[in-house]
Amino acid sequence: MAGRFSPPTPTTRTTVRGGHVPVPAQASEAPDASETPEAPEAPALDLGLTLGPLRRGPGDPTFRTTPDGSIWRASRTPDGPGTLRVAVRAGGVEAEAWGPGGDWLLTGLPRLLGADDDPTAFVPRHRLLAATHRRRPGLRLTRTGLVMESLIPSILEQKVTTDEAYRAWRLLVRKYGEPAPGPAPDRMHVMPDAPTWGRIPSWEWHRAGVDNKRASTILRAVRVARRLEEAAGMEPEQAQQRLELIPGIGPWTSAETVQRSNGAPDAVSVGDYHLPGIVGYALAGDRNADDAAMLELLAPYAGQRHRAARLILLSGRVPPRRAPRMTPGNIAAL
């Protein structure tokens, strides 16, 4: 199955902040100098910047970039497992999909690439944000329409280093997921379905470095996976409220989920270990800002606070490190 979705032309970035993955640039034909465009072109879509938040570390078995400029995703859709390959070409965006969920993935392609997002709703009110917004015209907020594939890794990321969380996700998906359909790159896997998550033995969570609190939260969530997936069709605030009915899921986890599943432009990751200090330093020179101070600084961007936070992360303006990195734990060795 294949499909095309046009508006944009390619552009590439190589930053690692703010949820961006480098996508190899592809050569395109130079336009005829004798031709004069009838209207200005729409801002180009930055594929790596738009889909980057869906990657859970460089070894994520559900996400891959390839030298031809393609991004591959393996997802568990309502119709079953599917693999999607998407790439930006001179004529627009081309995509192919395989597996029972292939049609579902192609149908949701425009939404995945930010068709529901309205970048013009963001009005910069700070010099740093204005400059970053101008340099990143290809930023779109993705909307996957899939809750569990964002919720489970977000739970794994609670109160641990990113490396620990990425390792747990990688090990569990490769062991209990299934190979991605179609000619996917080597070792790509679709995450396990809800019943399989529920059958993972306690010692396997332990070996993956997942403590009992996070494992128990995932087990509670997968028991009501169908009801949680319904949140993808809700307004982001309502979706967060439904997710937070599950013990162990708080505002940070629900925000991290709906940012991806619902394309929520205003969902702020309250409770993040680093974000308040980064926002405070970037907008007010206050590296010790807490959640309340962060929300006050982001108040002028009500309705677009998640976009503002991503632009701050992409600006590269972060406070100098004053202490060693957080030491990773080793639950499996206990």
Side-chain angles (χ1 to χ4, degrees):
M1 292 172 284
R4 293 187 69 83
F5 167 63
S6 354
T9 53
T11 183
T12 58
R13 301 283 192 271
T14 55
T15 181
V16 296
R17 290 196 176 274
H20 185 221
V21 296
V23 178
Q26 294 297 296
S28 58
E29 295 181 3
D32 188 341
S34 64
E35 295 182 2
T36 303
E38 297 180 0
E41 292 185 1
L45 171 73
D46 189 321
L47 194 61
L49 195 60
T50 299
L51 300 185
L54 304 180
R55 184 182 72 161
R56 306 292 180 157
D60 186 349
T62 70
F63 190 107
R64 196 72 52 84
T65 61
T66 50
D68 67 347
S70 298
I71 287 181
W72 293 73
R73 292 191 68 236
S75 297
R76 185 166 295 281
T77 77
D79 296 337
T83 302
L84 176 71
R85 183 195 69 83
V86 58
V88 177
R89 304 300 187 215
V93 174
E94 65 178 31
E96 296 176 283
W98 300 265
D103 279 335
W104 191 95
L105 291 170
L106 287 176
T107 300
L109 179 64
R111 179 179 57 189
L112 183 73
L113 300 182
D116 292 345
D117 184 32
D118 181 14
T120 63
F122 181 77
V123 180
R125 302 179 184 276
H126 188 281
R127 184 182 305 171
L128 177 73
L129 283 170
T132 309
H133 186 53
R134 187 170 56 251
R135 292 198 306 268
R136 303 288 184 172
L139 172 62
R140 299 292 182 273
L141 300 184
T142 186
R143 181 173 183 175
T144 66
L146 298 170
V147 171
M148 298 306 291
E149 77 166 21
S150 292
L151 176 61
I152 291 175
S154 294
I155 294 172
L156 291 174
E157 291 171 10
Q158 292 175 350
K159 300 184 184 302
V160 296
T161 65
T162 53
D163 286 346
E164 291 174 89
Y166 292 161
R167 175 181 178 273
W169 173 249
R170 182 174 65 250
L171 292 177
L172 292 169
V173 170
R174 283 182 177 163
K175 184 161 188 176
Y176 292 99
E178 57 189 278
D186 187 42
R187 302 194 72 188
M188 282 197 73
H189 283 69
V190 178
M191 78 169 198
D193 59 15
T196 303
W197 282 111
R199 291 193 296 267
I200 296 177
S202 59
W203 58 87
E204 292 293 350
W205 293 105
H206 188 80
R207 287 174 179 171
V210 182
D211 58 73
N212 183 64
K213 182 177 180 181
R214 287 179 291 151
S216 297
T217 300
I218 291 173
L219 294 177
R220 285 190 289 267
V222 298
R223 291 189 191 109
V224 290
R226 183 180 61 81
R227 296 302 306 276
L228 295 184
E229 287 291 358
E230 292 173 359
M234 299 177 177
E235 291 298 316
E237 296 80 6
Q238 295 175 315
Q240 286 192 250
Q241 290 172 9
R242 175 166 292 196
L243 295 177
E244 290 172 26
L245 291 174
I246 306 298
I249 298 178
W252 182 87
T253 305
S254 67
E256 289 285 313
T257 301
V258 302
Q259 287 166 7
R260 297 165 172 84
S261 62
N262 296 55
D266 197 48
V268 184
S269 300
V270 174
D272 193 90
Y273 186 76
H274 299 287
L275 188 61
I278 293 173
V279 172
Y281 183 78
L283 299 185
D286 180 11
R287 65 179 299 154
N288 298 313
D290 57 12
D291 282 328
M294 174 181 69
L295 292 176
E296 183 177 351
L297 289 169
L298 292 176
Y301 301 102
Q304 294 284 315
R305 293 178 299 174
H306 170 49
R307 191 190 307 276
R310 282 204 64 193
L311 289 170
I312 290 170
L313 291 170
L314 289 165
S315 73
R317 182 171 172 76
V318 297
R321 186 177 297 124
R322 294 189 303 192
R325 292 180 181 271
M326 180 178 175
T327 304
N330 187 2
I331 292 172
L334 298 178

